[in-house]
Amino acid sequence: MTAPDPDGLLAEQLLRLTRRVHRIQKRHLQLRDLGITPAQSRLLRTLAHYGSPPRMADLAERLEVVPRAVTTLVDGLEAAGKVRRVPDPANRRVIRIELTDDGRAALRELRGARRSAAEEILAPLTDEQRAALGGLLDTLIDGTAVEPGRPSGP
């Protein structure tokens, strides 16, 4: 008889949780009727982190996808009025992507949908469990162990 594989179990639990989070976030997005896919949502959130409009290649690198995928996402968001392509002032061959006012409004709605989804997912946890989970997630995200007595997170 083989011994149970605790790391295999944890990996399966993480994958199941990831799928559940994705399903719940997608449902909350649909409830707000924004007409934005999870991938488009991710592009909008990424775009909002730039101080000035990025190039498509910058977005592709940040999102860790091929440039063609960004083109498809931008096409859909541009058709919906959430982003626009603008020429680079220094090089007219370069196109940059910027949020429109509708895109900024959609981002506010997206943040609300994500918050609602997080509340639903975390509802079964006590405040102490949430704090412990936050510390564990910080450790997994950073890839380093937290020293006892040292606060976790930024």
Side-chain angles (χ1 to χ4, degrees):
M1 182 172 198
T2 59
D5 176 9
D7 289 341
L9 176 60
L10 282 173
E12 181 60 29
Q13 288 174 307
L14 285 171
L15 290 172
R16 288 174 50 211
L17 177 60
T18 300
R19 287 191 293 267
R20 182 168 185 256
V21 167
H22 182 76
R23 273 194 319 274
I24 290 172
Q25 283 185 338
K26 188 175 180 180
R27 182 169 38 82
H28 281 266
L29 280 176
Q30 290 169 340
L31 288 173
R32 293 188 183 239
D33 199 27
L34 294 172
I36 295 174
T37 67
Q40 289 173 330
S41 167
R42 186 170 173 235
L43 186 135
L44 285 175
R45 290 191 322 271
T46 301
L47 191 54
H49 289 328
Y50 282 92
S52 61
R55 299 172 308 139
M56 298 266 246
D58 298 329
L59 287 168
E61 184 177 331
R62 176 82 59 96
L63 293 168
E64 298 179 349
V65 298
V66 295
R68 177 72 189 122
V70 171
T71 300
T72 301
L73 292 172
V74 168
D75 287 347
L77 288 168
E78 187 175 39
K82 309 293 188 234
V83 301
R84 69 177 145 254
R85 289 173 165 92
V86 294
D88 184 302
N91 182 346
R92 62 187 176 107
R93 293 176 297 168
V94 174
I95 299 296
R96 296 191 175 267
I97 308 303
E98 70 179 10
L99 283 169
T100 63
D101 289 341
D102 282 350
R104 282 185 274 287
L107 266 174
R108 285 189 293 277
E109 286 292 316
L110 289 168
R111 286 184 189 114
R114 287 173 61 107
R115 248 189 320 279
S116 297
E119 288 170 10
E120 180 179 335
I121 292 163
L122 297 173
L125 301 180
T126 66
D127 289 343
E128 295 80 20
Q129 289 172 321
R130 288 176 188 213
L133 177 62
L136 292 169
L137 290 173
D138 281 343
T139 300
L140 293 174
I141 291 166
D142 296 340
T144 57
V146 176
E147 297 170 23
R150 190 181 111 218
S152 64

